[in-house]
Each structure stands twice: as structure tokens, then as C-alpha cells.
């Protein structure tokens, strides 16, 4: 793969400084307090690789394991290229720029395409699966779970446009119809460079031990129709943890965390209009019961005719607040009235 295919912004890890200040950080439009007492860096765990007991101990202590360049960046960039070309076909990437830059396009074609087929095509791409199902990622989960593991059949590749983010939640209530929550881990994988102001994932230090989350974790996101937790990062931090942790991610990095860790994504405020591409996937042992929402032939997801297609908030449509969009029998986006303001 040549650098030119990705030009600079999506390029390999050595493509420039990743610790520049960038624009101010926000979540859900709220400014994040970045004072060192309440905001810090994820701690890499590369020194623990190969020592399963130490990895399990660190996971119990921190609630997460973060690895720098666990994966070969070229494998990750191949997945990036595969996915961005598909988004370019439907006008979501502006191909007057190199496609690897992921500059947001008009997206005008989105209502005309079969989003069900599109979403399946992105999730099933061979280069994408080579990342989520790589030996390196599976090995981390094997070490944590002490047996043979598999990814959930559903995988969540995310294309996050400028202005978009992800609300605060724990994964537990969304994944709790199969094996027990302490037998599942999520891995969040940047598909290309993601500077923090371009929409890095942010997790709350100590939240895996927060007693105040016990009732929330016992709920079922679909049956109980759960929404995101409070929008304000300061309120959430004071209620459930101590410091927000994040970093500037490079291709090859992997962030693994448990079902009780409270997290969300920093708003993408890329001044260049660059979209954030990342993936999140879940892993469990092969011989334990699997949540039917996300596993098995024709898994049910959130039910009905909904398709995983996050974002589109700029279209100001009431129904676009969810990451799951209603589609018609041809997989076309179900457009309804604009949101009243
Ligand atoms: O990437 C995001 O915006 C959210 C990801 C997430 O919530 C997760 O990995 O559980």
C-alpha cells in the first residue's frame, strides 16, 4: 500500500504529530474540562502482552487495556480503504479529496441506496474482518477469557461525520442476553489516525467499580428502552468516576474494555471536515450462550426493519437521533418529518 493512497491524514502512524492541541474538546456540545485532575491519557498495556495473568489483573484494576500498535497498521489501513471507497460511492466521502482523507461529502445519495445492503457490505468486508478477527485481537480476548473466543456476529464499523459523537453509556445493557457480562469484552479500534478532537473514544476511569451503575447494568437496553446517560461530561464524571481518559489514536491501536465501563465519544470537530472511522466489536468464549440480538443467522439487532447507520444528525430529522435507522422493504431510509426546533 502506498502512502499516496491515503495521503497524509489517514496515513501510517508516522504521519505527523498527534499531540497538537486542535480545537477545544466537547461531548454532546458540552466543553470537556481538560484539567489534569479530571482528564488524562489512557495507559498503554503493551508490556503485559503474552502474560495472561497480568492482563487479567490489569483489566480488573483499570477496567480497560490499551495497546499501541497491536495490529500491523497496513492491515488497518486496508480496512480503512475498503470502507471509505464504499462511503465514497454513496457520496458520503468527498472524492475531490483523496478518499483516504475521509472528507465529508454531501451524502445526498443516501436516501436512494439500499442501506441494509450497504451496511452488510461494510460489516462483511474481507479487509474489515481481517482487523476485527485478527489473531492479535483474538489473542487478547483469549488471554482475558481463558478459552477459545469469537467475535459477536454483529460488528459496529462507525463513520462519524464532523459535528457527530456518541452519548455516554456502558455496553452491558446492550449485550446481556447471552453469557454473563464479566465474560464479554469490547474492543474499540481506530481505522486510521484519530486525533482526540476528531472523535476519540473517552472512558471514565474507575467507572467499572461504580456502585451507582449497578441498576443500569442490570437493565436490558431494548426491553427497557434505555437512552444515553446524562449528556454533560462533568455531571457523569462526578456521579460515576474520577477522570475522563482518552488519547490521540493511531492505526494499529486497540482499546479493550469491560461491559461496565462508562464511555462515550468526543464530538468530531475536525477543522478539515474529516470523518472519523473506527470499529467496535465484542468477544466471548465460543461455548457460552450468545446474545441473539447480535448473533446467529439473521440476528435480530434492535428489531423491526432497522439498520445500523449512525449519524445524519445534520438532516435534522426526528428519527435520525438513533444509530439505528428505519428502512422500508427495499432497505431505503425511511424519511419522516424534519425535527421541530
Ligand atoms: O465509537 C463510538 O462512537 C462509540 C463506540 C462505543 O460506544 C463502543 O465501542 O461501545
Amino acid at each position: 500500500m502506498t502512502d499516496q493512497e491515503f495521503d497524509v491524514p489517514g496515513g501510517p502512524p508516522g504521519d505527523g504529530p498527534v499531540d497538537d492541541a486542535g480545537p477545544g474538546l466537547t461531548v454532546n456540545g458540552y466543553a470537556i474540562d481538560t484539567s489534569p485532575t479530571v482528564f488524562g491519557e489512557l495507559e498503554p498495556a503493551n508490556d503485559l502482552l503474552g502474560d495472561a495473568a497480568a492482563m487479567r489483573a490489569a483489566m480488573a484494576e483499570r477496567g480497560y487495556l490499551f495497546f499501541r500498535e497491536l495490529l500491523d497498521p497496513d492491515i488497518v489501513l486496508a480496512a480503512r480503504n475498503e470502507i471509505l471507497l464504499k462511503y465514497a460511492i454513496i457520496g458520503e466521502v468527498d472524492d475531490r479529496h483523496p478518499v483516504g482523507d475521509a472528507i465529508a461529502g454531501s451524502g445526498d445519495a443516501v436516501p436512494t441506496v439500499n442501506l441494509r445492503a450497504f451496511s452488510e457490505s461494510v460489516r462483511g468486508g474481507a479487509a474489515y474482518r481481517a482487523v476485527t478477527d485478527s489473531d492479535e485481537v483474538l489473542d487478547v480476548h483469549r488471554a482475558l477469557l481463558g478459552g477459545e473466543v469469537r467475535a459477536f456476529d454483529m460488528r459496529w464499523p462507525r463513520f462519524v461525520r464532523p459535528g457527530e459523537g456518541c452519548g455516554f453509556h456502558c455496553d452491558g445493557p446492550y449485550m446481556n442476553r447471552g453469557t454473563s457480562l464479566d465474560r464479554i469484552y469490547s474492543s474499540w479500534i481506530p481505522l486510521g489516525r484519530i486525533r482526540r478532537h476528531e472523535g476519540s473514544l473517552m472512558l471514565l476511569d474507575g467507572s467499572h467499580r461504580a456502585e451507582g451503575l449497578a441498576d443500569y447494568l442490570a437493565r436490558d437496553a431494548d426491553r427497557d428502552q434505555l437512552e444515553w446517560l446524562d449528556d454533560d461530561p462533568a455531571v457523569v464524571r462526578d456521579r460515576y468516576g474520577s477522570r475522563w481518559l482518552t488519547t490521540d489514536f493511531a492505526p494499529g491501536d486497540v482499546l479493550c474494555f469491560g461491559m461496565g465501563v462508562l464511555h462515550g465519544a468526543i464530538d468530531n470537530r475536525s477543522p478539515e471536515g474529516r470523518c472519523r472511522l473506527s470499529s467496535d466489536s465484542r468477544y466471548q468464549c465460543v461455548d457460552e450462550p450468545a446474545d441473539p440480538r447480535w448473533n446467529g443467522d439473521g440476528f435480530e439487532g434492535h428489531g423491526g426493519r432497522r439498520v445500523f447507520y449512525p449519524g445524519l444528525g445534520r438532516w435534522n430529522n426526528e428519527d435520525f437521533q438513533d444509530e439505528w435507522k428505519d428502512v422500508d422493504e427495499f432497505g431505503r431510509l425511511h424519511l419522516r418529518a424534519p425535527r421541530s426546533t
Side-chain angles (χ1 to χ4, degrees):
M1 183 161 305
T2 64
D3 279 3
Q4 197 161 6
E5 268 173 85
F6 291 102
D7 199 14
V8 172
D15 69 356
V18 290
D19 58 350
D20 58 339
L25 304 180
T26 63
V27 181
N28 306 313
Y30 287 83
I32 304 173
D33 181 351
T34 55
S35 320
T37 48
V38 291
F39 185 86
E41 289 283 320
L42 291 164
E43 183 182 345
N46 292 59
D47 57 324
L48 307 180
L49 282 167
D51 183 344
M55 286 165 71
R56 286 197 289 270
M59 178 60 93
E61 169 65 24
R62 298 175 201 169
Y64 73 92
L65 294 180
F66 172 50
F67 301 102
R68 286 279 182 210
E69 219 178 293
L70 180 72
L71 296 162
D72 177 348
D74 277 346
I75 305 283
V76 174
L77 294 176
R80 176 180 180 83
N81 193 36
E82 176 183 85
I83 295 174
L84 289 180
L85 280 173
K86 294 176 186 179
Y87 275 94
I89 291 168
I90 64 169
E92 285 265 50
V93 168
D94 181 348
D95 67 6
R96 292 172 300 176
H97 303 266
V99 169
D101 288 8
I103 303 302
S106 72
D108 290 347
V110 171
T112 70
V113 302
N114 181 336
L115 278 190
R116 182 181 302 287
F118 179 83
S119 180
E120 271 183 39
S121 158
V122 172
R123 289 184 277 114
Y128 174 54
R129 292 291 176 95
V131 169
T132 58
D133 295 41
S134 61
D135 282 341
E136 292 87 344
V137 170
L138 293 178
D139 277 348
V140 165
H141 294 87
R142 283 184 192 113
L144 289 171
L145 292 165
E148 193 42 49
V149 297
R150 50 167 288 224
F152 279 27
D153 291 329
M154 173 66 189
R155 294 159 181 85
W156 289 256
R158 286 173 203 267
F159 177 85
V160 181
R161 303 155 198 80
E164 297 176 348
C166 179
F168 294 124
H169 64 286
C170 300
D171 285 355
Y174 300 84
M175 311 290 161
N176 55 5
R177 291 191 194 167
T179 192
S180 59
L181 288 184
D182 59 352
R183 302 289 300 152
I184 306 171
Y185 289 98
S186 288
S187 272
W188 189 89
I189 306 177
L191 299 176
R193 187 208 70 206
I194 301 174
R195 291 178 178 165
R196 58 196 73 198
H197 64 264
E198 294 167 336
S200 287
L201 198 87
M202 184 167 93
L203 58 79
L204 188 59
D205 202 10
S207 55
H208 61 303
R209 293 207 198 89
E211 285 172 14
L213 285 170
D215 286 349
Y216 168 80
L217 288 171
R219 296 172 82 183
D220 178 302
D222 292 276
R223 288 191 197 113
D224 297 328
Q225 303 211 316
L226 288 191
E227 300 192 343
W228 301 135
L229 294 160
D230 198 284
D231 282 348
D232 184 339
V235 170
V236 172
R237 184 195 65 223
D238 291 346
R239 207 173 277 164
Y240 305 113
S242 55
R243 293 180 307 158
W244 288 111
L245 301 177
T246 190
T247 196
D248 298 304
F249 289 90
D253 294 350
V254 174
L255 173 59
C256 178
F257 54 90
M259 295 296 100
V261 172
L262 203 160
H263 60 280
I266 296 174
D267 299 335
N268 179 358
R269 299 184 71 203
S270 163
E272 300 91 28
R274 177 181 159 98
C275 299
R276 179 251 284 186
L277 194 64
S278 62
S279 165
D280 37 288
S281 39
R282 275 88 214 164
Y283 302 83
Q284 68 166 81
C285 280
V286 290
D287 52 359
E288 295 179 18
D291 188 327
R293 283 173 290 186
W294 315 117
N295 294 288
D297 290 341
F299 53 81
E300 64 198 53
H302 287 306
R305 276 212 199 99
R306 270 177 264 168
V307 165
F308 179 67
Y309 200 83
L312 300 180
R314 73 189 166 82
W315 285 6
N316 195 30
N317 188 301
E318 187 85 56
D319 304 304
F320 291 176
Q321 305 315 301
D322 199 344
E323 329 185 293
W324 291 78
K325 305 288 188 287
D326 273 338
V327 293
D328 66 16
E329 66 267 46
F330 304 110
R332 306 300 197 275
L333 194 59
H334 203 176
L335 287 165
R336 296 201 196 97
R339 191 154 50 123
S340 51
T341 46

